[in-house]
Amino acid sequence: MEQRFFWFVIGVTLTLCDVIAEEPFLLKIGVVSTWKHIFTDLLQRNELSLPCSLLNITTPKPKSQYDKMLKVKDFLTNNQIDVILGPYDDATGIVAEKLKIPYICTTAARRNLKYTFQILPPLEDFSQAIFDMTKSYGWDKVSLFYDDTRGVYIMEQLLTNHDLMVKSWHVEANPNPKVIEKQVRDHLVRMRQAFVQKSIIFCSKEHTEIILDQARSLAMLSQPSEWFFYDPGDQLVPVFKNFPDVFVNFTVFGLMEFDSRNEITTVEDARRLNISLAADSLKLVNVTLPKFSGVPRNITATTIAEELRKIRISGYTGDIEFGPDGRRYNYTIKLSEIEGLDSLQRYSSKSKEYWTNGVLLYHVGVWKSHFNTSASKIQFEEVKRLNRNYSFPLKGRTVSVVMILEKPFTMRKRDYKQRLGNDRFEGFAVDLITEVAKMLDFNFEIYLVHDGKFGTKMENGEWNGMIGELLSGNATMLVAPLSINSQREEAVDFTKPFMTRYISVLMRVPQSEQSYFEFLNPLHQNVWYCTFGAFVMVSVILYFLERFGIPQNKEYPAISFRESFWFVFGSLLQGNTDASPSTLPGRILTSAWWFFALILISSYTANLAAFLTVKKINTPIKSVTDLASQTKIKYGTVKSSGIMFFFKNTNIEHFAKMWAQMSEVDPSSMVDDTEEGFKKVKQGNYAFFWDTTVNKYKTIEDCQFMEIGPHFDPKGFGIGVPPGAIYREDLSMAILRLSDTGMLHQLENKWWPPSRSCPDLSKPSADETSELSIDSVAGVFFILLGGIALAGIVCGFEHFAKVVKKAAKTEKNVNGKNSEIKERESFL
């Protein structure tokens, strides 16, 4: 009985062992909680070769890192986890290393962990690839945009190349997109000022899109600019598709093919890389399991780790192979150049190019990773690119154009308050940019410079005025009468000149002298005195010659002393008298007097016509030299203008003397703007140095102004653009075409008409006549009135004398008759 029971127990035991032995193997996979949904979705599509169970590694509310490690240890040992998948967690990694559980992590991990296998290549490898590329291309300048600490590591790596100047720009996170946009714009403007044309973007997708959008608004997405992007997971595809019109290469450092599509990664967002890394993790596990020759009991965490170090597979992120330290090597980082094109689908393995979703892609090279990092190197492929026609980078866009109020270049219309946009302005500069925009097919918005200055470098090194607007990125170009000089050329770029300007002097036209006795001006006062003396002398001599001479005809009445004066005066005015000389000496004297009177009156008449009918302007200043040699009339120009710097830096003696007068002796002669200068000129005793183009228009607009020559210091006016702007050449060609077609000449004639209503003081006086005014001949009327009054007075005196004489004679006659009557009465 006991023997039978013994064998029964043995049989049951063996049966139970067989049942246990035949129980299927279950691979227990620990997954970092944040990625469990990714692995679950992947396993639903493609199962592993052996049954598995996904267990979410949880550590509820750890009090410290040590407490977290203890909870992770308990979870891993209690659940007998065979392998861990997911992003790297420091506490999990340390515990897995202690328990010798393989940890296939999908993000960067700390070094010196033998049981941690890093699928995502370390940042050092990408950094080395970028560094090798800069060395291969022989760059001397590069900009680095970054928004986290990874960018600092890249910068440190680039700085090890002592032949490379690195400009780094940190894009700080901010909840307000406007703040980030302004921050990025400021970085780009400073980058352009430093003439850096190569840029590496090491930022998030959102920040990258902001950078490219601001670069496009500054016309920096055009040759010769080049842009390079860190994009291991093909996450920037949607960003690049927003720039199909960009004609500049985008070079991408990627772990995956650009815009890749397969049965695993079909999404177009940041999950593409995560899904690919997770799929490669499962693929590694799946490839490792068959290595155990179908004996599931041999599968342990340690054996899985050993097999992971041996295998080499091709995954969704490229070739996967691990070194002894768990780091991935023997993979490739792909360098792809992207250009925007119309939507096409084509692939050509021969030319290493294909179109996908409107983007042209070139495979230009790869960076091959090796276990020995020093052996890693970059290899470029020979690429045969398509021949493409260059397109103007501003085509179809609306750009900002800064201007300054300066007649006749930019002026407000009279009813500008009722108008909007560009329609508020008119002038030569407005017409010029309108013609250029039509030719190059772009739109523009005009705005006036806020500080009203042309542009000068301040003490802190910054620029104000329109040049400051260009350098700050507020304006795409400036169109104004801004002269090109060496200092401005160092700050910004200029197109070919659309006009040449000189410096001239603007002054007020001197007031012509008005006099009621203008008719006396043809003869000098000394001539008048001599003429009067000759008249008196000839009259007296004629009287004596007639008195003592022998008369030729005794019937002629003798000339009295009074008649002698009257005869000589009448001869002078071509009048007749009753008496005339009858002696030979008198007639000789009279002939000489007539000849004298003829010459004198003819000369007077000729001069009188000129004096009364020609504008007489006595200009005290006829040249710049005259202005420099006097101190009565002050002179100056606009502060911080190009003309001021000409006087300041000149070595010409009289100009240097004038600068000393303007800057030291009389600083008040300098003005803040042209309007102030024009006002001072109009007030008188002030000369204003400014551009001939503006001065000439002022003399046409207001006849109270005149321009004094000769002109000096020729310089050109050009359209200003930011430094390094590629569209400068396009604008220059447009200006040349406008010149060749005569359009520039037409615009000049429109705003500087060849004919003017004001008298041209530079022409001979015979060509500038005017009708006589009453002021010019009023003296003649006064003399006539004086003569009439004198004649009336004399007549009155004569009449009074006649009356008195007649009364006296009558009284005498009456007295005579009375005496005669008395005598008769006494006689009777």
Side-chain angles (χ1 to χ4, degrees):
M1 187 72 179
E2 292 180 358
Q3 187 176 4
R4 288 182 180 180
F5 179 76
F6 173 77
W7 288 111
F8 173 76
V9 173
I10 293 298
V12 172
T13 304
L14 292 175
T15 302
L16 290 175
C17 290
D18 291 340
V19 172
I20 295 173
E22 292 176 0
E23 182 180 352
F25 174 77
L26 183 66
L27 181 67
K28 296 180 180 180
I29 302 175
V31 180
V32 178
S33 58
T34 55
W35 278 47
K36 184 177 180 180
H37 64 285
I38 299 178
F39 287 102
T40 302
D41 293 341
L42 290 173
L43 287 176
Q44 288 176 355
R45 299 182 196 175
N46 298 291
E47 296 181 354
L48 297 181
S49 58
L50 290 177
C52 64
S53 173
L54 293 180
L55 300 177
N56 191 16
I57 300 176
T58 57
T59 54
K61 297 181 180 180
K63 297 179 181 180
S64 62
Q65 184 72 358
Y66 179 73
D67 182 48
K68 182 178 180 180
M69 292 169 60
L70 291 177
K71 291 182 178 181
V72 170
K73 176 180 176 297
D74 293 340
F75 178 86
L76 296 179
T77 55
N78 293 338
N79 292 280
Q80 298 180 355
I81 299 297
D82 298 309
V83 63
I84 303 172
L85 304 179
Y88 179 76
D89 177 74
D90 201 34
T92 304
I94 295 174
V95 173
E97 184 74 13
K98 186 68 175 177
L99 299 177
K100 297 182 180 182
I101 299 174
Y103 185 1
I104 304 177
C105 63
T106 55
T107 57
R110 68 159 62 189
R111 291 193 174 192
N112 302 320
L113 296 178
K114 295 182 180 181
Y115 288 87
T116 299
F117 300 89
Q118 185 176 343
I119 295 183
L120 180 67
L123 182 63
E124 300 95 290
D125 288 357
F126 280 95
S127 175
Q128 187 64 40
I130 294 173
F131 178 83
D132 291 344
M133 182 197 63
T134 61
K135 293 282 286 186
S136 300
Y137 284 148
W139 290 354
D140 57 352
K141 295 179 182 179
V142 67
S143 282
L144 174 65
F145 290 85
Y146 66 96
D147 56 5
D148 57 23
T149 55
R150 296 177 302 168
V152 177
Y153 184 86
I154 299 291
M155 179 179 62
E156 292 175 350
Q157 179 74 12
L158 293 175
L159 289 174
T160 59
N161 182 1
H162 301 296
D163 297 328
L164 180 66
M165 183 182 76
V166 181
K167 292 284 186 180
S168 58
W169 315 102
H170 183 209
V171 181
E172 298 179 1
N174 193 289
N176 188 351
K178 296 294 183 182
V179 175
I180 301 178
E181 289 176 3
K182 184 176 186 311
Q183 177 190 163
V184 169
R185 193 176 186 88
D186 292 341
H187 292 338
L188 290 171
V189 169
R190 290 188 177 90
M191 184 187 89
R192 187 167 58 186
Q193 291 174 355
F195 296 97
V196 181
Q197 298 172 340
K198 311 291 190 300
S199 301
I200 299 174
I201 311 299
F202 211 90
C203 297
S204 65
K205 172 185 171 183
E206 293 74 20
H207 287 170
T208 299
E209 188 165 11
I210 292 176
I211 292 172
L212 293 180
D213 187 61
Q214 293 300 315
R216 178 164 58 182
S217 68
L218 294 173
M220 296 176 67
L221 295 186
S222 57
Q223 297 174 350
S225 298
E226 296 183 36
W227 298 82
F228 299 81
F229 303 88
Y230 168 76
D231 185 25
D234 202 22
Q235 302 173 40
L236 299 180
V237 173
V239 175
F240 295 145
K241 290 180 180 179
N242 292 332
F243 299 87
D245 56 335
V246 173
F247 292 87
V248 63
N249 289 342
F250 289 160
T251 301
V252 178
F253 290 83
L255 195 61
M256 303 167 60
E257 295 286 355
F258 177 82
D259 200 15
S260 58
R261 290 290 190 275
N262 51 53
E263 70 278 9
I264 296 298
T265 56
T266 58
V267 294
E268 292 188 359
D269 54 25
R271 293 178 298 163
R272 181 179 299 175
L273 177 63
N274 294 345
I275 293 174
S276 299
L277 293 173
D280 283 346
S281 300
L282 292 175
K283 190 173 183 179
L284 281 171
V285 175
N286 199 34
V287 171
T288 304
L289 295 179
K291 300 290 184 180
F292 300 102
S293 303
V295 185
R297 67 171 59 94
N298 295 332
I299 301 177
T300 63
T302 305
T303 56
I304 293 176
E306 292 175 355
E307 292 299 327
L308 285 175
R309 294 190 183 97
K310 299 177 183 178
I311 66 172
R312 178 177 182 180
I313 65 171
S314 178
Y316 296 107
T317 59
D319 294 337
I320 302 175
E321 186 174 357
F322 297 107
D325 58 353
R327 289 166 59 93
R328 182 175 174 180
Y329 71 99
N330 281 342
Y331 67 93
T332 57
I333 296 176
K334 300 171 180 62
L335 277 68
S336 302
E337 288 187 1
I338 304 169
E339 293 184 6
L341 279 179
D342 294 334
S343 181
L344 290 170
Q345 293 287 342
R346 183 181 120 188
Y347 176 77
S348 173
S349 59
K350 181 181 293 186
S351 59
K352 304 294 183 181
E353 68 188 30
Y354 67 83
W355 284 264
T356 173
N357 294 326
V359 176
L360 175 61
L361 177 69
Y362 295 103
H363 291 299
V364 296
V366 295
W367 185 84
K368 187 71 174 178
S369 164
H370 291 273
F371 177 71
N372 183 4
T373 306
S374 61
S376 302
K377 62 180 180 179
I378 194 166
Q379 298 175 348
F380 292 101
E381 301 176 6
E382 184 177 355
V383 178
K384 189 175 183 181
R385 293 178 174 82
L386 293 178
N387 293 327
R388 302 187 59 187
N389 295 327
Y390 170 75
S391 178
F392 181 54
L394 303 181
K395 184 176 181 180
R397 292 178 49 205
T398 300
V399 301
S400 297
V401 178
V402 61
M403 294 186 178
I404 189 171
L405 287 178
E406 186 74 282
K407 297 180 179 180
F409 290 90
T410 305
M411 302 174 288
R412 288 192 178 103
K413 293 181 179 179
R414 293 183 178 179
D415 58 343
Y416 73 94
K417 292 184 179 180
Q418 284 75 42
R419 298 175 181 266
L420 298 174
N422 299 338
D423 194 40
R424 297 171 296 165
F425 305 101
E426 63 179 351
F428 177 84
V430 178
D431 291 347
L432 174 64
I433 191 60
T434 300
E435 294 297 328
V436 171
K438 289 179 182 177
M439 188 174 295
L440 297 178
D441 189 20
F442 69 92
N443 301 315
F444 62 92
E445 293 179 353
I446 297 174
Y447 77 94
L448 300 177
V449 61
H450 306 298
D451 58 6
K453 297 183 181 297
F454 287 86
T456 184
K457 194 173 185 179
M458 298 180 291
E459 294 181 355
N460 60 0
E462 299 292 331
W463 284 80
N464 59 15
M466 292 183 292
I467 294 183
E469 291 295 303
L470 273 185
L471 295 177
S472 65
N474 296 330
T476 306
M477 64 186 73
L478 68 86
V479 185
L482 184 69
S483 57
I484 305 172
N485 57 35
S486 59
Q487 189 180 35
R488 289 170 177 165
E489 187 71 47
E490 291 177 356
V492 298
D493 290 342
F494 288 93
T495 63
K496 300 289 184 184
F498 58 80
M499 182 179 290
T500 300
R501 75 98 172 107
Y502 296 83
I503 300 176
S504 63
V505 184
L506 189 71
M507 295 185 64
R508 181 175 177 174
V509 175
Q511 298 294 324
S512 58
E513 298 178 0
Q514 296 290 342
S515 174
Y516 292 145
F517 297 94
E518 191 78 16
F519 65 91
L520 295 177
N521 289 335
L523 298 180
H524 195 272
Q525 58 183 3
N526 293 336
V527 177
W528 287 112
Y529 295 150
C530 292
T531 301
F532 180 76
F535 160 69
V536 174
M537 183 181 65
V538 170
S539 300
V540 173
I541 293 175
L542 179 62
Y543 169 73
F544 284 105
L545 291 178
E546 288 295 307
R547 183 175 182 83
F548 297 106
I550 301 174
Q552 297 293 324
N553 190 348
K554 295 182 179 181
E555 295 180 358
Y556 286 179
I559 296 179
S560 64
F561 186 76
R562 185 181 64 180
E563 287 294 330
S564 175
F565 277 89
W566 181 249
F567 173 78
V568 174
F569 183 73
S571 299
L572 182 63
L573 300 181
Q574 299 180 354
N576 294 324
T577 59
D578 293 337
S580 61
S582 60
T583 63
L584 182 60
R587 290 179 176 179
I588 294 174
L589 178 61
T590 300
S591 299
W593 174 252
W594 284 348
F595 180 78
F596 168 81
L598 174 65
I599 300 301
L600 182 65
I601 291 174
S602 299
S603 301
Y604 173 81
T605 303
N607 271 359
L608 182 64
F611 267 81
L612 297 183
T613 60
V614 175
K615 293 282 185 181
K616 299 183 294 297
I617 304 297
N618 294 323
T619 305
I621 304 298
K622 297 195 170 37
S623 66
V624 179
T625 307
D626 295 341
L627 195 62
S629 59
Q630 57 83 49
T631 56
K632 180 180 179 181
I633 299 177
K634 297 181 180 180
Y635 45 84
T637 186
V638 176
K639 298 175 184 177
S640 301
S641 63
I643 297 177
M644 189 204 77
F645 284 105
F646 164 78
F647 281 99
K648 184 178 181 180
N649 300 323
T650 185
N651 294 323
I652 303 175
E653 183 178 355
H654 59 276
F655 288 143
K657 178 182 176 182
M658 297 178 81
W659 169 247
Q661 177 72 22
M662 287 187 286
S663 61
E664 299 175 7
V665 179
D666 190 14
S668 62
S669 62
M670 304 295 287
V671 296
D672 293 327
D673 52 43
T674 55
E675 287 300 322
E676 183 182 351
F678 295 149
K679 288 180 181 178
K680 296 189 74 169
V681 170
K682 209 163 189 176
Q683 292 171 0
N685 287 331
Y686 183 78
F688 183 54
F689 286 97
W690 201 240
D691 297 332
T692 52
T693 52
V694 180
N695 287 347
K696 182 180 178 181
Y697 180 81
K698 199 65 181 177
T699 60
I700 296 174
E701 183 186 43
D702 192 340
C703 294
Q704 296 187 58
F705 293 94
M706 68 176 183
E707 198 176 8
I708 303 297
H711 302 162
F712 58 94
D713 187 35
K715 280 186 171 61
F717 289 152
I719 298 178
V721 298
I726 186 62
Y727 52 87
R728 177 187 64 169
E729 297 301 326
D730 300 274
L731 296 175
S732 294
M733 290 302 299
I735 291 174
L736 293 177
R737 284 195 291 269
L738 289 176
S739 178
D740 293 341
T741 57
M743 179 56 69
L744 282 182
H745 184 66
Q746 293 180 24
L747 294 180
E748 289 181 14
N749 287 340
K750 175 182 177 181
W751 296 103
W752 291 275
S755 60
R756 58 194 297 262
S757 58
C758 303
D760 191 348
L761 303 178
S762 63
K763 291 185 178 180
S765 60
D767 295 340
E768 300 289 341
T769 61
S770 62
E771 59 185 10
L772 293 176
S773 64
I774 187 63
D775 293 338
S776 301
V777 294
V780 178
F781 289 93
F782 292 158
I783 290 178
L784 178 60
L785 292 175
I788 294 172
L790 181 61
I793 294 172
V794 172
C795 181
F797 274 109
E798 287 183 349
H799 179 72
F800 178 76
K802 183 178 180 181
V803 171
V804 172
K805 185 177 180 180
K806 185 177 180 180
K809 186 177 181 180
T810 302
E811 185 178 358
K812 183 178 179 180
N813 292 335
V814 172
N815 292 334
K817 288 182 179 181
N818 292 335
S819 62
E820 185 178 350
I821 293 173
K822 288 181 181 182
E823 288 179 357
R824 287 180 180 178
E825 290 178 351
S826 62
F827 179 74
L828 293 176

Short mmCIF file of all heavy atoms in Angstrom, two decimals, residues 2 9 18 42 113 151 209 249 291 298 313 322 371 493 522 535 553 563 586 594 710 774 791 798 808 819 828:
data_model
loop_
_atom_site.label_atom_id
_atom_site.label_comp_id
_atom_site.label_asym_id
_atom_site.label_seq_id
_atom_site.Cartn_x
_atom_site.Cartn_y
_atom_site.Cartn_z
N GLU A 2 1.81 1.32 0.84
CA GLU A 2 2.73 2.46 0.91
C GLU A 2 3.54 2.59 -0.36
O GLU A 2 3.82 3.68 -0.84
CB GLU A 2 3.67 2.27 2.12
CG GLU A 2 2.96 2.37 3.45
CD GLU A 2 3.92 2.18 4.60
OE1 GLU A 2 5.13 1.93 4.33
OE2 GLU A 2 3.48 2.31 5.76
N VAL A 9 2.53 9.51 -6.00
CA VAL A 9 3.06 10.87 -5.76
C VAL A 9 4.10 11.22 -6.80
O VAL A 9 4.13 12.31 -7.33
CB VAL A 9 3.65 10.97 -4.33
CG1 VAL A 9 4.35 12.30 -4.14
CG2 VAL A 9 2.55 10.80 -3.30
N ASP A 18 5.59 18.42 -16.14
CA ASP A 18 5.36 18.54 -17.59
C ASP A 18 4.41 19.68 -17.91
O ASP A 18 4.59 20.41 -18.91
CB ASP A 18 4.80 17.21 -18.10
CG ASP A 18 5.82 16.08 -18.06
OD1 ASP A 18 7.03 16.42 -18.02
OD2 ASP A 18 5.42 14.90 -18.06
N LEU A 42 2.04 50.20 -31.51
CA LEU A 42 2.94 49.47 -32.41
C LEU A 42 2.73 47.96 -32.29
O LEU A 42 2.77 47.24 -33.30
CB LEU A 42 4.39 49.84 -32.10
CG LEU A 42 4.81 51.27 -32.49
CD1 LEU A 42 6.20 51.57 -31.97
CD2 LEU A 42 4.77 51.44 -34.01
N LEU A 113 27.08 53.37 -18.67
CA LEU A 113 26.06 52.41 -18.25
C LEU A 113 26.06 51.27 -19.26
O LEU A 113 25.58 51.43 -20.38
CB LEU A 113 24.68 53.09 -18.17
CG LEU A 113 24.53 54.22 -17.13
CD1 LEU A 113 23.13 54.83 -17.22
CD2 LEU A 113 24.80 53.71 -15.73
N GLY A 151 22.14 73.71 -27.60
CA GLY A 151 22.81 74.67 -28.46
C GLY A 151 24.13 75.15 -27.89
O GLY A 151 25.07 75.46 -28.62
N GLU A 209 10.25 78.03 -37.20
CA GLU A 209 9.30 78.67 -38.13
C GLU A 209 9.32 80.18 -37.94
O GLU A 209 9.24 80.95 -38.92
CB GLU A 209 7.90 78.11 -37.91
CG GLU A 209 6.90 78.58 -38.96
CD GLU A 209 5.64 77.76 -38.96
OE1 GLU A 209 5.44 76.97 -38.01
OE2 GLU A 209 4.85 77.90 -39.91
N ASN A 249 19.03 77.30 -50.47
CA ASN A 249 19.09 75.93 -50.01
C ASN A 249 18.94 75.85 -48.49
O ASN A 249 19.57 76.60 -47.75
CB ASN A 249 20.43 75.29 -50.41
CG ASN A 249 20.48 75.05 -51.90
OD1 ASN A 249 19.45 75.03 -52.57
ND2 ASN A 249 21.67 74.86 -52.41
N LYS A 291 17.55 34.38 -31.20
CA LYS A 291 18.94 33.99 -30.98
C LYS A 291 19.07 32.89 -29.91
O LYS A 291 20.12 32.29 -29.75
CB LYS A 291 19.76 35.20 -30.53
CG LYS A 291 19.78 36.34 -31.54
CD LYS A 291 20.58 36.02 -32.78
CE LYS A 291 20.66 37.21 -33.71
NZ LYS A 291 21.43 36.90 -34.92
N ASN A 298 15.98 30.01 -21.56
CA ASN A 298 17.31 30.65 -21.62
C ASN A 298 17.22 32.17 -21.74
O ASN A 298 18.25 32.86 -21.71
CB ASN A 298 18.10 30.10 -22.80
CG ASN A 298 18.42 28.62 -22.63
OD1 ASN A 298 18.53 28.14 -21.49
ND2 ASN A 298 18.57 27.90 -23.73
N ILE A 313 21.30 45.60 -37.16
CA ILE A 313 20.11 45.56 -38.00
C ILE A 313 19.91 46.90 -38.69
O ILE A 313 20.54 47.92 -38.33
CB ILE A 313 18.85 45.22 -37.16
CG1 ILE A 313 18.57 46.35 -36.16
CG2 ILE A 313 19.00 43.89 -36.47
CD1 ILE A 313 17.24 46.21 -35.46
N PHE A 322 25.46 48.59 -31.53
CA PHE A 322 25.86 49.15 -30.25
C PHE A 322 27.30 48.74 -29.92
O PHE A 322 27.75 47.64 -30.25
CB PHE A 322 24.94 48.68 -29.12
CG PHE A 322 23.52 49.12 -29.30
CD1 PHE A 322 22.55 48.20 -29.67
CD2 PHE A 322 23.15 50.44 -29.10
CE1 PHE A 322 21.24 48.60 -29.83
CE2 PHE A 322 21.85 50.83 -29.26
CZ PHE A 322 20.87 49.92 -29.64
N PHE A 371 32.85 53.59 -34.06
CA PHE A 371 33.02 53.40 -32.62
C PHE A 371 34.11 54.33 -32.09
O PHE A 371 33.99 54.90 -31.02
CB PHE A 371 33.39 51.93 -32.32
CG PHE A 371 33.64 51.68 -30.87
CD1 PHE A 371 32.60 51.70 -29.95
CD2 PHE A 371 34.93 51.44 -30.41
CE1 PHE A 371 32.84 51.47 -28.61
CE2 PHE A 371 35.17 51.22 -29.07
CZ PHE A 371 34.13 51.23 -28.16
N ASP A 493 24.22 99.15 -47.67
CA ASP A 493 24.56 99.05 -49.08
C ASP A 493 23.68 100.01 -49.88
O ASP A 493 22.54 100.28 -49.50
CB ASP A 493 24.37 97.62 -49.59
CG ASP A 493 25.41 96.67 -49.02
OD1 ASP A 493 26.44 97.16 -48.51
OD2 ASP A 493 25.18 95.45 -49.04
N PRO A 522 20.58 157.46 -63.79
CA PRO A 522 21.46 157.23 -64.96
C PRO A 522 22.73 158.05 -64.95
O PRO A 522 23.72 157.66 -65.57
CB PRO A 522 20.57 157.59 -66.14
CG PRO A 522 19.18 157.33 -65.66
CD PRO A 522 19.20 157.72 -64.22
N PHE A 535 25.98 174.85 -67.09
CA PHE A 535 24.82 175.65 -67.49
C PHE A 535 24.97 177.11 -67.03
O PHE A 535 24.76 178.07 -67.79
CB PHE A 535 23.56 175.01 -66.91
CG PHE A 535 22.38 175.92 -66.83
CD1 PHE A 535 21.73 176.35 -67.98
CD2 PHE A 535 21.91 176.38 -65.60
CE1 PHE A 535 20.62 177.21 -67.90
CE2 PHE A 535 20.82 177.23 -65.52
CZ PHE A 535 20.18 177.64 -66.67
N ASN A 553 23.33 190.69 -87.09
CA ASN A 553 22.06 191.22 -87.60
C ASN A 553 21.49 192.11 -86.50
O ASN A 553 21.12 191.65 -85.44
CB ASN A 553 21.10 190.09 -87.93
CG ASN A 553 19.87 190.58 -88.67
OD1 ASN A 553 19.63 191.79 -88.74
ND2 ASN A 553 19.10 189.65 -89.21
N GLU A 563 17.45 186.40 -70.38
CA GLU A 563 17.22 185.65 -71.60
C GLU A 563 18.38 184.73 -71.92
O GLU A 563 18.21 183.67 -72.54
CB GLU A 563 16.99 186.62 -72.77
CG GLU A 563 15.65 187.32 -72.74
CD GLU A 563 14.52 186.35 -72.94
OE1 GLU A 563 14.71 185.31 -73.64
OE2 GLU A 563 13.42 186.58 -72.38
N GLY A 586 29.14 184.32 -79.75
CA GLY A 586 27.99 183.71 -79.09
C GLY A 586 27.50 182.47 -79.83
O GLY A 586 27.10 181.48 -79.22
N TRP A 594 25.33 173.08 -77.79
CA TRP A 594 24.39 172.13 -78.41
C TRP A 594 25.01 170.73 -78.54
O TRP A 594 24.36 169.72 -78.31
CB TRP A 594 23.96 172.65 -79.78
CG TRP A 594 22.97 173.78 -79.69
CD1 TRP A 594 22.29 174.20 -78.61
CD2 TRP A 594 22.61 174.62 -80.76
NE1 TRP A 594 21.49 175.26 -78.89
CE2 TRP A 594 21.66 175.55 -80.24
CE3 TRP A 594 22.97 174.74 -82.12
CZ2 TRP A 594 21.08 176.55 -81.02
CZ3 TRP A 594 22.36 175.72 -82.87
CH2 TRP A 594 21.43 176.61 -82.33
N PRO A 710 29.88 128.57 -57.44
CA PRO A 710 29.74 127.36 -58.26
C PRO A 710 29.43 126.14 -57.39
O PRO A 710 29.69 126.12 -56.19
CB PRO A 710 31.11 127.23 -58.92
CG PRO A 710 32.05 127.83 -57.91
CD PRO A 710 31.30 128.97 -57.27
N ILE A 774 5.22 153.05 -61.04
CA ILE A 774 5.03 154.45 -60.64
C ILE A 774 6.11 154.90 -59.68
O ILE A 774 6.49 156.07 -59.63
CB ILE A 774 3.62 154.64 -60.03
CG1 ILE A 774 3.34 156.11 -59.75
CG2 ILE A 774 3.50 153.80 -58.76
CD1 ILE A 774 3.31 156.96 -61.00
N ALA A 791 5.29 177.80 -60.80
CA ALA A 791 4.75 178.71 -61.81
C ALA A 791 3.52 179.42 -61.28
O ALA A 791 3.31 180.63 -61.53
CB ALA A 791 4.41 177.92 -63.07
N GLU A 798 3.32 187.83 -59.68
CA GLU A 798 3.26 188.78 -60.79
C GLU A 798 1.89 189.46 -60.84
O GLU A 798 1.78 190.68 -61.08
CB GLU A 798 3.54 188.06 -62.11
CG GLU A 798 5.01 187.69 -62.28
CD GLU A 798 5.27 187.05 -63.62
OE1 GLU A 798 4.28 186.72 -64.32
OE2 GLU A 798 6.46 186.87 -63.97
N ALA A 808 -1.53 201.62 -57.84
CA ALA A 808 -0.69 202.81 -57.60
C ALA A 808 -0.81 203.79 -58.76
O ALA A 808 -0.89 205.02 -58.56
CB ALA A 808 0.76 202.38 -57.39
N SER A 819 -5.71 217.41 -58.41
CA SER A 819 -4.84 218.59 -58.34
C SER A 819 -5.12 219.54 -59.49
O SER A 819 -5.10 220.78 -59.35
CB SER A 819 -3.38 218.19 -58.29
OG SER A 819 -3.04 217.51 -59.48
N LEU A 828 -10.05 229.98 -61.34
CA LEU A 828 -11.30 230.68 -61.56
C LEU A 828 -11.63 231.53 -60.34
O LEU A 828 -12.28 232.58 -60.49
CB LEU A 828 -12.43 229.63 -61.83
CG LEU A 828 -12.29 228.83 -63.14
CD1 LEU A 828 -13.40 227.79 -63.24
CD2 LEU A 828 -12.41 229.75 -64.32
#
